[in-house]
Amino acid sequence: MKLIENLKWRYATKKYDSSKKVNDEDLQKIKEAIQLSASSYGLQLFKVLIINDKTVREKLKPVSWGQSQITDASHLMVFCNYNKVTDDDVETYINLKAEVQDLPISSLGGAADFMKAKMKEKSAEEKISWTARQTYIALSNALNACAELKLDSTPIEGFDPEAYSEILKLKEKGLSASVVMAIGHRSEDDATQHAKKVRKPLKALFETL
């Protein structure tokens, strides 16, 4: 299985070669991998911001624990979750499903009502927590896609969400920054690439009942 070998190859890159850029074709594949990620009810209640503006990335660096990946990686993705979930979000999905699968809207009324009812069972805090968790599924797909493409990547949780929200004007968009991902090519000076991968043994992770 090629994926296993590629996952053994990847690591959380600490230092990037800022002179090397990810090409548009590979970036498109990563975006498609994110698009194809599983999500609860298929609603995809998240958005991924690709930060290319160098000035913006310089502003994000000090509120990201000063991590060099923020500015040196070829691309920076900020995975954002929806702050609110409304009936309109469900209707948008139902309309898209009807269009893509060539189904009459009337046949999906029961599914729409069910989803709307389940959304109303969640508190505002529960909805934010739930949508934030969805971003991690998409992040996992992106990390795996990078490994397949032999591109380096770094998932980053070390940042100030409120500062990100202010710099990227997320509240106006109804979003919150959940997790960040740097993508690019490792620097030859990154000593971390030579370290053995540390993972718990399979017997410690799995239990058959």
Side-chain angles (χ1 to χ4, degrees):
M1 187 176 179
K2 193 70 173 176
L3 176 61
I4 298 299
E5 291 305 311
N6 290 331
L7 290 177
K8 289 179 179 178
W9 170 84
R10 76 155 300 277
Y11 72 105
T13 304
K14 304 300 183 187
K15 187 175 182 180
Y16 283 88
D17 184 338
S18 60
S19 69
K20 295 181 179 179
K21 300 300 179 183
V22 173
N23 64 56
D24 291 341
E25 182 180 352
D26 285 344
L27 181 63
Q28 182 64 24
K29 290 177 181 177
I30 296 167
K31 291 165 68 174
E32 289 180 12
I34 293 171
Q35 178 197 30
L36 293 168
S37 297
S39 71
S40 188
Y41 300 112
L43 290 172
Q44 295 179 294
L45 300 174
F46 63 87
K47 178 170 283 189
V48 183
L49 306 183
I50 302 175
I51 314 299
N52 288 331
D53 190 308
K54 292 183 178 179
T55 302
V56 174
R57 286 170 69 167
E58 287 290 348
K59 291 179 180 178
L60 293 175
K61 183 176 180 179
V63 295
S64 306
W65 300 1
Q67 296 177 85
S68 65
Q69 298 98 318
I70 299 297
T71 51
D72 292 349
S74 172
H75 288 75
L76 188 73
M77 291 186 173
V78 180
F79 289 75
C80 302
N81 58 293
Y82 285 21
N83 289 331
K84 296 180 181 179
V85 184
T86 68
D87 286 353
D88 286 343
D89 294 315
V90 175
E91 289 295 340
T92 296
Y93 169 72
I94 290 296
N95 289 333
L96 179 61
K97 182 178 177 67
E99 177 185 348
V100 171
Q101 298 183 348
D102 194 23
L103 297 170
I105 289 287
S106 58
S107 70
L108 301 173
D113 291 341
F114 173 79
M115 283 188 276
K116 290 175 184 178
K118 298 306 288 185
M119 296 305 108
K120 288 180 172 59
E121 291 178 4
K122 298 179 185 291
S123 67
E125 292 76 13
E126 287 173 332
K127 288 176 183 176
I128 291 176
S129 175
W130 173 59
T131 56
R133 292 196 300 272
Q134 302 303 306
T135 64
Y136 281 79
I137 302 173
L139 170 69
S140 180
N141 260 28
L143 292 171
N144 291 341
C146 286
E148 288 280 314
L149 295 166
K150 284 294 190 291
L151 292 172
D152 292 295
S153 60
T154 312
I156 300 170
E157 289 186 305
F159 66 94
D160 182 340
E162 286 299 321
Y164 264 62
S165 181
E166 183 177 345
I167 293 169
L168 300 175
K169 296 179 171 51
L170 298 181
K171 287 183 180 178
E172 293 91 321
K173 301 174 183 178
L175 301 171
S176 291
S178 177
V179 66
V180 177
M181 178 183 180
I183 303 170
H185 297 275
R186 67 189 67 174
S187 167
E188 293 182 2
D189 298 331
D190 188 356
T192 312
Q193 65 188 293
H194 304 299
K196 291 183 178 180
K197 188 178 288 292
V198 180
R199 294 293 187 274
K200 289 182 178 180
L202 291 174
K203 64 181 180 180
L205 285 174
F206 296 92
E207 180 178 349
T208 302
L209 302 179

